[in-house]
Amino acid sequence: MDDQKELINKKENSGSNIWMYVLMVIMALCIIGVSLWLLSVKSTMKELLAEKEAQKVEIEHELQSLMVEHEKIKASYGEASDSLMVMDSIIQANAVEIKKMLNYKWEYYKIKKKLSKLQVIAQGYVRQMDSIVTVNRDLTEENIQIKEEIRIEKRKNQQLEKQTVELTGIVDEASELKVYSISADPIHKKGSGKEIVTDKIRRVDLVRICFTVSENSIVEPGEKTLYVRIAQPDKKILVEKRDDDHSFTYQGETLQYSIKEEIDYNNESMKMCVRWHKRTTQEMQPGLYHVDIFEGNANIGHALFELR
């Protein structure tokens, strides 16, 4: 009888041991599973950190390249770059802001977007600088025209100073239409209808102004009115009639226009040309002509042409 009880006790102890082993195996498997999951998370975090650091290095490299190129451009133009000091200060301030954001506010897509805007401003700087150099070269022997150019550059700087109010840190989304790739050409129209560019006063039949209205997702789409003013060397505007029906308001001042053009703007870039037709009895002057394009309460483009 005692042997039978001892056998039963051994079986019960053996069963308890088995369940204990099973429980230990389950716990071990859980620990292994958790460890593998933690290792996977750690590996993923390392990959994300590596990707983030690579993106940061990429933006830093782009920013550094942009600023190095900007400084080279300033140096190559010498004293001419002084006329765009306001725009240069905007570029410098934007670059500093991006550097700060890389250190304290690391948001790749936001910073990338702002860097793209800075690149657009830098490109605009180059285009305006090229325009300044070209004008200065053409006006070196004409004192009156030099004074006119200084007046134009002051006006551009005044417009840039107004824009700095809207440019805090990195330039905010523009709320005005912009135009680029502006050309202004005096045209002689042959009997066949073919148009050829000329700089001879007696052959001019019309002035053709071509440009591209830039893409802008912020501007309200719909009908827009563009006004083009063509100023002769004596600053008088070429107009069809000098009355209120041929004028518009710009910053509280009533100005006459040479061409009025209605466009249907849908936030996409659009190329276009407008024409001013010379009257048969109208006489034009030799010298440098200035073309300005207005929309809303902003001067959005400028170009030059010369007649001999």
Side-chain angles (χ1 to χ4, degrees):
M1 189 72 175
D2 292 336
D3 293 339
Q4 187 175 4
K5 287 182 177 181
E6 184 178 348
L7 181 61
I8 291 172
N9 290 333
K10 287 182 177 180
K11 287 182 179 181
E12 289 177 351
N13 291 333
S14 176
S16 299
N17 290 335
I18 290 172
W19 281 108
M20 184 178 295
Y21 292 144
V22 170
L23 182 60
M24 292 176 64
V25 169
I26 292 173
M27 291 178 65
L29 290 174
C30 288
I31 292 172
I32 292 172
V34 171
S35 298
L36 291 174
W37 177 77
L38 289 174
L39 288 173
S40 175
V41 170
K42 183 177 181 181
S43 176
T44 302
M45 290 299 294
K46 285 184 177 179
E47 291 176 0
L48 291 174
L49 289 173
E51 180 182 358
K52 180 178 179 181
E53 185 62 26
Q55 291 172 342
K56 181 178 180 181
V57 171
E58 173 193 345
I59 291 180
E60 287 176 338
H61 177 71
E62 288 186 32
L63 179 61
Q64 182 180 9
S65 299
L66 186 150
M67 295 309 297
V68 168
E69 183 64 22
H70 177 66
E71 292 301 325
K72 287 182 179 178
I73 291 171
K74 284 173 54 182
S76 67
Y77 285 109
E79 293 182 358
S81 63
D82 292 343
S83 59
L84 290 180
M85 290 178 63
V86 173
M87 196 168 189
D88 176 57
S89 66
I90 293 173
I91 293 173
Q92 299 293 343
N94 292 341
V96 171
E97 184 67 18
I98 290 177
K99 290 179 181 179
K100 289 181 179 179
M101 293 182 72
L102 285 171
N103 293 327
Y104 302 110
K105 300 178 181 178
W106 175 236
E107 298 178 43
Y108 176 74
Y109 294 105
K110 184 176 180 181
I111 297 178
K112 187 73 173 178
K113 184 177 181 180
K114 292 186 177 183
L115 178 59
S116 297
K117 292 178 183 177
L118 178 57
Q119 291 170 335
V120 170
I121 296 174
Q123 292 167 3
Y125 180 92
V126 174
R127 289 195 297 270
Q128 291 199 38
M129 187 62 69
D130 286 339
S131 175
I132 292 170
V133 171
T134 300
V135 172
N136 285 339
R137 183 175 60 246
D138 292 340
L139 301 180
T140 51
E141 297 180 357
E142 298 292 337
N143 186 50
I144 295 177
Q145 293 178 352
I146 290 175
K147 291 180 180 179
E148 175 66 11
E149 176 59 19
I150 292 173
R151 185 188 67 80
I152 291 172
E153 290 308 317
K154 286 182 178 179
R155 183 182 62 193
K156 288 182 179 179
N157 286 336
Q158 289 171 354
Q159 292 169 355
L160 289 172
E161 289 170 356
K162 291 176 183 177
Q163 291 174 5
T164 57
V165 175
E166 300 173 3
L167 297 171
T168 54
I170 298 298
V171 178
D172 295 331
E173 291 287 353
S175 59
E176 301 172 349
L177 284 182
K178 302 295 180 185
V179 297
Y180 60 93
S181 299
I182 308 171
S183 64
D185 298 311
I187 299 295
H188 171 63
K189 193 169 184 177
K190 291 188 172 182
S192 62
K194 182 178 180 181
E195 296 181 350
I196 60 172
V197 178
T198 181
D199 63 354
K200 302 295 188 298
I201 292 179
R202 61 183 180 82
R203 293 176 61 83
V204 174
D205 296 310
L206 58 94
V207 178
R208 182 181 63 205
I209 300 104
C210 295
F211 52 87
T212 299
V213 181
S214 64
E215 175 183 355
N216 191 323
S217 61
I218 301 303
V219 172
E220 186 72 21
E223 293 293 329
K224 306 292 181 185
T225 303
L226 303 182
Y227 296 98
V228 180
R229 279 167 54 93
I230 305 174
Q232 297 186 99
D234 63 0
K235 303 180 185 179
K236 290 184 179 180
I237 305 302
L238 296 175
V239 295
E240 182 178 345
K241 293 181 180 179
R242 299 189 183 278
D243 54 23
D244 291 341
D245 291 336
H246 293 79
S247 63
F248 66 102
T249 301
Y250 170 67
Q251 295 185 0
E253 183 180 357
T254 299
L255 303 178
Q256 290 190 306
Y257 62 81
S258 306
I259 307 168
K260 177 182 178 181
E261 185 74 11
E262 302 284 347
I263 64 172
D264 186 11
Y265 185 68
N266 60 1
N267 302 110
E268 297 179 352
S269 64
M270 53 190 299
K271 295 181 179 180
M272 60 184 300
C273 292
V274 295
R275 289 169 169 78
W276 174 83
H277 294 274
K278 175 187 173 185
R279 298 191 303 274
T280 304
T281 59
Q282 188 166 22
E283 294 186 0
M284 301 182 72
Q285 303 173 352
L288 196 67
Y289 286 69
H290 297 277
V291 178
D292 289 281
I293 303 173
F294 298 82
E295 193 282 322
N297 203 33
N299 184 330
I300 61 175
H302 180 74
L304 303 166
F305 68 88
E306 188 173 6
L307 292 178
R308 304 179 188 280

